[in-house]
Amino acid sequence: MAWDELTDEQREIRDLVRTLARERIAPRAAAIDESHAFPWDIVELFRENDVFGLFFDEADGGLGTGALLGLIAIEEVSKVCATSGLILAVQELGSLGLKLAGNDEQKQRYLPRLASGEWICAYALTEAGSGSDSAAMRTTARRDGDDYVLDGSKRFITNAGVAGLYTVFAKTDPAAGHRGISAFLMEADTPGFEVTRLEPKMGIGGSTTGELAFDGCRVPAANLLGAEGEGFTIAMRILDRSRPGIAAQALGIAQGATDYALEYAKTRETMGKPIAQHQLIQAKLADMETETEAARGLLYRFGRMVDGGADDAELTKASAMAKLKCGDVAMAVATDAVQILGGYGYIKEYPVERYMRDAKITQIYEGTQEIQRLVIAREMLKESRAFLLAETV
Ligand SMILES: Cc1cc2nc3c(=O)[nH]c(=O)nc-3n(C[C@H](O)[C@H](O)[C@H](O)COP(=O)(O)OP(=O)(O)OC[C@H]3O[C@@H](n4cnc5c(N)ncnc54)[C@H](O)[C@@H]3O)c2cc1C
């Protein structure tokens, strides 16, 4: 291991993804943002180079290289294109339900297709009336013979219309609050399911974000994940492990924006010298780099915790802290990058305005920054109580 504490294998794979990102994805990034079309060519690139495999165990058709390397791959791709980084993050988000709660038959049926990238997947929790308060969802699932019949809708679902498999949450017992929620695996061609709307957005232009409608949608009972009523717990366990994927996207945006601003500052001259020689610009660059490195510390720590076998209870706070720090750093750093480029930062010929628009969503999805703070504080309160009891007993 070198100073960066990556193994030779990890560094080799990171460098491979970095090269793909720089040579094949970066030249497409502006067009992906402008076109608002899902970049299937990037999916194909990931398939050909087994990049999806980084998120799956060998037994499930993946590479088994661990959580840290998956995060690093999302970071490397997001340095040049946050939409493409999100494709990887959501392949993890949409498959975690299967990995954490799927039975052997379900895993064998779906995980190899997700590990190869043959199928893209999605995670459908949010509804028009329930985002942060996800337990207030209104979509229902009623058992009918060998099926569950789903009725209702979901909003803001990433990969709507391009996913082959959706993890859908619905209430099997609406009177039981969050204990009445169940999780289902739903294939895209299930009768009674339709994507009814795609949202125009501020950023991540190539990613689809859509509304799903379920109208008497019959999902086989064999596709129930875990037991009835376990859906909310599954949803939260998934988010504990998937939020760092968004943190990695944010970190990539922050580093990409910093790197671009640095190169620009070396060549743009004012008052007879490159702006990189002005101390106020240097201070900005120094803060951008330092904050980004600090955020990386929290994120990689999470990856190492997972790879070291940390249990769910230990991951909750570390995951929320990584998401909170990386998202806030991405927003601040991307905004500073625009400032360093001056007027050029504000126009589309330069990529930093895209970084700034893309950074904003990392403070919102997979739990807003306010929700991350609530989670962190809740975990702190639990820890402090345990400490006090230990001291006084
Ligand atoms: C582009 C995009 C992609 C998305 N992808 C997915 C996806 O793939 N799957 C999915 O299920 N969802 C997805 N979402 C939904 C996203 O996770 C939610 O939008 C987010 O969780 C916030 O929910 P909300 O929009 O309903 O806001 P609200 O919950 O209405 O929150 C509004 C504001 O109030 C604050 N707030 C809410 N409750 C509290 C509280 N208790 N204390 C303090 N402040 C609070 C919030 O932080 C926020 O600032 C996506 C959203 C977008 C925009």
Side-chain angles (χ1 to χ4, degrees):
M1 290 215 190
W3 62 271
D4 61 6
E5 293 180 33
L6 298 182
T7 63
D8 289 344
E9 187 198 23
Q10 285 172 327
R11 208 170 305 110
E12 201 177 301
I13 297 176
R14 179 201 60 191
D15 291 348
L16 179 90
V17 177
R18 183 176 285 174
T19 304
L20 282 179
R22 284 183 184 164
E23 293 180 2
R24 306 285 300 278
I25 302 175
R28 284 273 292 125
I32 289 171
D33 176 56
E34 289 271 308
S35 72
H36 291 260
F38 184 75
W40 282 109
D41 59 321
I42 302 298
V43 171
E44 195 50 44
L45 182 74
F46 290 154
R47 286 175 181 153
E48 282 168 6
N49 290 279
D50 224 351
V51 182
F52 290 115
L54 291 171
F55 301 88
F56 296 84
D57 288 340
E58 275 181 292
D60 300 321
L63 297 172
T65 41
L68 176 61
L69 200 56
L71 296 171
I72 290 174
I74 297 170
E75 176 194 352
E76 289 299 329
V77 172
S78 301
K79 279 182 188 172
V80 301
C81 177
T83 291
S84 300
L86 186 61
I87 293 172
L88 298 178
V90 178
Q91 197 72 351
E92 171 75 340
L93 169 70
S95 59
L96 267 166
L98 260 167
K99 293 177 193 167
L100 295 172
N103 59 36
D104 288 348
E105 189 275 325
Q106 291 168 338
K107 286 182 179 172
Q108 281 159 18
R109 190 149 33 107
Y110 294 118
L111 281 178
R113 280 189 253 190
L114 299 178
S116 67
E118 180 191 341
W119 278 15
I120 297 299
C121 56
Y123 172 89
L125 181 69
T126 303
E127 299 185 2
S130 59
S132 305
D133 185 10
S134 53
M137 71 175 62
R138 298 178 67 171
T139 298
T140 57
R142 174 177 53 81
R143 180 78 191 239
D144 183 31
D146 289 340
D147 296 327
Y148 282 91
V149 181
L150 271 62
D151 285 288
S153 63
K154 296 283 166 185
R155 186 123 198 230
F156 296 152
I157 305 307
T158 301
N159 286 349
V162 299
L165 187 72
Y166 295 76
T167 303
V168 180
F169 298 86
K171 284 197 167 158
T172 40
D173 182 359
H178 73 274
R179 291 195 181 81
I181 295 171
S182 301
F184 300 91
L185 298 165
M186 190 203 66
E187 297 188 18
D189 60 0
T190 306
F193 166 66
E194 207 184 335
V195 175
T196 44
R197 174 190 161 89
L198 293 181
E199 310 286 352
K201 300 189 295 293
M202 175 192 289
I204 49 167
S207 176
T208 65
T209 310
E211 191 169 78
L212 317 181
F214 310 96
D215 182 8
C217 172
R218 298 190 83 88
V219 175
N223 283 19
L224 176 70
L225 269 179
E228 264 192 34
E230 284 181 2
F232 189 75
T233 306
I234 293 170
M236 295 304 118
R237 287 183 69 207
I238 291 171
L239 289 174
D240 276 349
R241 287 171 188 262
S242 69
R243 278 175 178 147
I246 298 306
Q249 183 195 30
L251 184 67
I253 293 169
Q255 191 66 66
T258 302
D259 294 348
Y260 195 90
L262 176 67
E263 288 310 309
Y264 183 87
K266 280 160 52 184
T267 55
R268 175 72 175 174
E269 292 196 5
T270 68
M271 286 110 193
K273 55 184 177 185
I275 59 170
Q277 299 303 323
H278 296 308
Q279 284 190 350
L280 286 175
I281 297 292
Q282 289 183 351
K284 232 183 247 314
L285 287 168
D287 287 349
M288 290 159 74
E289 182 83 341
T290 304
E291 283 294 293
T292 302
E293 195 60 49
R296 183 174 288 113
L298 279 175
L299 180 65
Y300 285 18
R301 171 173 166 264
F302 176 88
R304 293 197 172 95
M305 284 173 75
V306 175
D307 291 340
D311 61 30
D312 280 8
E314 293 171 290
L315 294 178
T316 303
K317 189 169 114 190
S319 157
M321 286 166 71
K323 161 80 165 55
L324 177 64
K325 185 68 183 170
C326 291
D328 284 356
V329 166
M331 195 67 240
V333 163
T335 307
D336 276 348
V338 170
Q339 193 68 20
I340 288 175
L341 268 74
Y344 295 94
Y346 200 71
I347 63 171
K348 286 192 182 281
E349 194 182 336
Y350 292 82
V352 287
E353 62 84 32
R354 168 165 55 85
Y355 284 106
M356 186 173 155
R357 287 184 287 107
D358 289 345
K360 187 60 208 170
I361 191 58
T362 69
Q363 295 183 303
I364 296 173
Y365 56 18
E366 293 201 28
T368 64
Q369 302 301 69
E370 289 76 15
I371 296 302
Q372 305 313 316
R373 288 184 168 91
L374 292 182
V375 169
I376 294 163
R378 190 189 62 207
E379 294 302 310
M380 288 168 68
L381 289 165
K382 274 195 223 162
E383 287 165 10
S384 78
R385 198 166 47 220
F387 169 73
L388 284 176
L389 284 178
E391 284 290 289
T392 51
V393 169

